[in-house]
C-alpha cells in the first residue's frame, strides 16, 4: 500500500537505484534516516532518529526514511515501483508482525514526491487514504518551502497520533466534506427559491391558462433535471414541497364566463363549471374564450366590469 503526493520542484537530480541507497541500519542500529545527499539538517535527522526509535519500542513499528534527489526513471516506471522494491529489499518490519513503514522523499527538480510504503501488519491503521492525508495536510505545506526535515518530522508525528488513536485528520476531512456539501445545498436552495419567486411572479401577471400550464411543466422538468444532475436532491425536494403546499399561487387567474368569477384553476378529469367554449360580446365584436377541459375554477372574486375576453382566452382590459 502506498500514499503518494507530487510537489513543485527545485534542485539538480541525481538518479538512484535501490542498490545505490545506503542502508544506515547496517552500520548503526540507532539511525533510521538515509540521506546520502544531505538534504535535511543534522538536527532534524537526530530528532527523527529519536522519534522513530520511540515508536519502535512502544508499538513495534519499524520505520525507515529515505531522502534522495531522484530515482532512475529508466529502471522504475514510478516512485511506487521504487519504494516497493526498496521496502522488500531492506526487509523493513518484523517478519512475524510485518509492521514496517518506509517514507520515501525525492527532492529532484523535475518532480518532488513523497511515498508511504507499509507492511501488511500496518494496513489496517495506516490506510492508503490516511497516508495521503498525512502527506497532503501535514508534510507537503512544509516541504514546498524547502523545509524537508520539518516536513518529515510532521509526518512521523502524525503517524504516532494514528497509532495512539489521537489523529484528527479523518475527522477534519469528514467535517470539510460535510461543510462543502452543506454550502452546495444552500446554493441550490437559493437557486430554487429564486426560481419559485420567478414562477410566482409569472402567475400573478399571466391570465392565460394554457400558457401557464406549459410553463409549469417546463419548470418542473428543469427543476427535476438540475436536482439530479447537480446533486441537489434535498433542495429539489423542498422546491416541489413548497410548490405543492402553495400550488394555488402558481397558476394564473382566469375569468370563468359561465359563473362570472375571476380566480385560479386546477387540473381535474372533468369540467364542473361551464362549457369548453364560451362567447362574449366585446366592443370589437364576438370573441371566443377557450379553457382546456382539464381545468376547473377553484374560487375567486366577482368578475370586474373592466375585464373582457380577448382571443384564445387571453383577458384584456377595456375602457
Amino acid at each position: 500500500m502506498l500514499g503518494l503526493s507530487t510537489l513543485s520542484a527545485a534542485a539538480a537530480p541525481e538518479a538512484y537505484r535501490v542498490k545505490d541507497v545506503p542502508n544506515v541500519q547496517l552500520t548503526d542500529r540507532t539511525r533510521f534516516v538515509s540521506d546520502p545527499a544531505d538534504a535535511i539538517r543534522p538536527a532534524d535527522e537526530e530528532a527523527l532518529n529519536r522519534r522513530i526509535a520511540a515508536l519502535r519500542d512502544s508499538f513495534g513499528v519499524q520505520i525507515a526514511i529515505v531522502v534522495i534527489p531522484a530515482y532512475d526513471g529508466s529502471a522504475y516506471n514510478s516512485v511506487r515501483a521504487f519504494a516497493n522494491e526498496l521496502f522488500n529489499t531492506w526487509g523493513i518490519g518484523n517478519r512475524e508482525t510485518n509492521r514496517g513503514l518506509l517514507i520515501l522523499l525525492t527532492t529532484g527538480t523535475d518532480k518532488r514526491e513523497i511515498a508511504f510504503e507499509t507492511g501488511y501488519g500496518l494496513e489496517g491503521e495506516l490506510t492508503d487514504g490516511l497516508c495521503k492525508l498525512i502527506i497532503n495536510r501535514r508534510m507537503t505545506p512544509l516541504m514546498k518551502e524547502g523545509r524537508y526535515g520539518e516536513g518529515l518530522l510532521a509526518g512521523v508525528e502524525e503517524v504516532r497520533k494514528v497509532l495512539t488513536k489521537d489523529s484528527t485528520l479523518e475527522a477534519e476531512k469528514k467535517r470539510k466534506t460535510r461543510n462543502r456539501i452543506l454550502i452546495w445545498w444552500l446554493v441550490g436552495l437559493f437557486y430554487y427559491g429564486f426560481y419559485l419567486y420567478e414562477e410566482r411572479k409569472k402567475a400573478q401577471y399571466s391570465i392565460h391558462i394554457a400558457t401557464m400550464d406549459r410553463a409549469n411543466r417546463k419548470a418542473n422538468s428543469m427543476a427535476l433535471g438540475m436536482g439530479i444532475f447537480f446533486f441537489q436532491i434535498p433542495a429539489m425536494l423542498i422546491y416541489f414541497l413548497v410548490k405543492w403546499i402553495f400550488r394555488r399561487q402558481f397558476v394564473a387567474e382566469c375569468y370563468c364566463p359561465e359563473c362570472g368569477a375571476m380566480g385560479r384553476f386546477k387540473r381535474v378529469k372533468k369540467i364542473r363549471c361551464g362549457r369548453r367554449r364560451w362567447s362574449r360580446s366585446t366592443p370589437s365584436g364576438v370573441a371566443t374564450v377557450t379553457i382546456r377541459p382539464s381545468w376547473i375554477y377553484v374560487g375567486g372574486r366577482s368578475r370586474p366590469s373592466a375585464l373582457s375576453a380577448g382571443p384564445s382566452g387571453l383577458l384584456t382590459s377595456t375602457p
Side-chain angles (χ1 to χ4, degrees):
M1 180 179 60
L2 182 67
L4 174 63
S5 176
T6 300
L7 311 178
S8 55
E14 179 185 343
Y16 276 76
R17 294 193 177 194
V18 168
K19 64 180 181 180
D20 301 324
V21 181
N23 188 345
V24 294
Q25 275 278 295
L26 298 179
T27 57
D28 187 346
R29 302 294 293 176
T30 63
R31 294 179 62 190
F32 306 93
V33 181
S34 179
D35 178 24
D38 295 325
I40 62 177
R41 297 182 308 170
D44 291 333
E45 184 174 336
E46 290 178 11
L48 285 168
N49 287 326
R50 287 195 303 272
R51 295 189 186 188
I52 293 173
L55 290 175
R56 180 195 58 190
D57 296 340
S58 301
F59 302 99
V61 177
Q62 294 185 10
I63 301 175
I65 294 178
V66 174
V67 183
I68 57 176
Y71 59 88
D72 188 350
S74 64
Y76 312 96
N77 57 11
S78 67
V79 70
R80 172 178 297 227
F82 183 89
N84 182 264
E85 183 176 326
L86 181 61
F87 184 93
N88 292 324
T89 300
W90 284 7
I92 302 171
N94 185 286
R95 290 185 178 181
E96 296 180 359
T97 61
N98 204 6
R99 288 170 63 82
L101 170 63
L102 168 65
I103 301 177
L104 172 65
L105 168 65
T106 62
T107 61
T109 304
D110 296 334
K111 197 159 52 167
R112 290 179 182 168
E113 296 176 294
I114 312 168
F116 275 44
E117 183 76 20
T118 63
Y120 294 117
L122 270 183
E123 285 185 350
E125 296 167 274
L126 281 172
T127 62
D128 191 45
L130 188 52
C131 288
K132 289 181 180 178
L133 283 175
I134 294 173
I135 292 170
N136 294 331
R137 300 280 179 84
R138 300 294 187 254
M139 303 175 70
T140 300
L142 293 168
M143 292 186 179
K144 280 185 175 179
E145 300 175 2
R147 298 154 64 186
Y148 301 126
E150 294 177 49
L152 289 168
L153 283 166
V156 171
E157 175 61 18
E158 194 61 39
V159 168
R160 184 194 66 78
K161 290 182 179 180
V162 170
L163 296 174
T164 57
K165 312 298 182 184
D166 294 328
S167 177
T168 59
L169 273 177
E170 290 186 320
E172 290 174 14
K173 181 183 178 182
K174 290 179 181 178
R175 184 171 62 252
K176 288 185 178 181
T177 302
R178 184 171 60 248
N179 290 342
R180 288 189 187 123
I181 292 174
L182 288 175
I183 292 172
W184 180 241
W185 283 348
L186 286 174
V187 171
L189 282 174
F190 175 81
Y191 169 79
Y192 279 114
F194 179 76
Y195 209 42
L196 284 171
Y197 170 76
E198 288 295 315
E199 287 186 67
R200 176 70 182 95
K201 189 166 65 172
K202 288 178 182 178
Q204 284 181 315
Y205 294 103
S206 176
I207 47 179
H208 197 306
I209 286 185
T211 301
M212 281 303 300
D213 185 27
R214 287 193 297 270
N216 280 330
R217 288 170 180 267
K218 182 178 179 181
N220 290 341
S221 297
M222 289 183 63
L224 182 63
M226 292 192 66
I228 296 173
F229 186 78
F230 291 105
F231 190 57
Q232 289 287 357
I233 304 298
M236 181 190 71
L237 293 176
I238 293 174
Y239 164 84
F240 282 114
L241 179 64
V242 171
K243 197 169 181 179
W244 181 80
I245 293 174
F246 300 99
R247 55 191 176 278
R248 293 188 180 182
Q249 304 301 317
F250 291 93
V251 293
E253 287 193 345
C254 293
Y255 162 58
C256 179
E258 186 68 19
C259 64
M262 181 76 177
R264 304 183 189 280
F265 291 73
K266 70 178 181 181
R267 185 189 304 280
V268 292
K269 294 181 179 179
K270 296 181 180 179
I271 290 182
R272 300 178 186 171
C273 174
R275 302 179 301 274
R276 182 173 182 178
R277 284 182 175 271
W278 300 273
S279 295
R280 183 170 181 271
S281 297
T282 66
S284 58
V286 176
T288 300
V289 179
T290 303
I291 296 182
R292 298 175 58 181
S294 59
W295 295 87
I296 66 164
Y297 174 68
V298 294
R301 54 184 182 277
S302 300
R303 173 169 55 90
S305 57
L307 290 175
S308 63
S312 303
L314 181 62
L315 295 186
T316 59
S317 59
T318 57

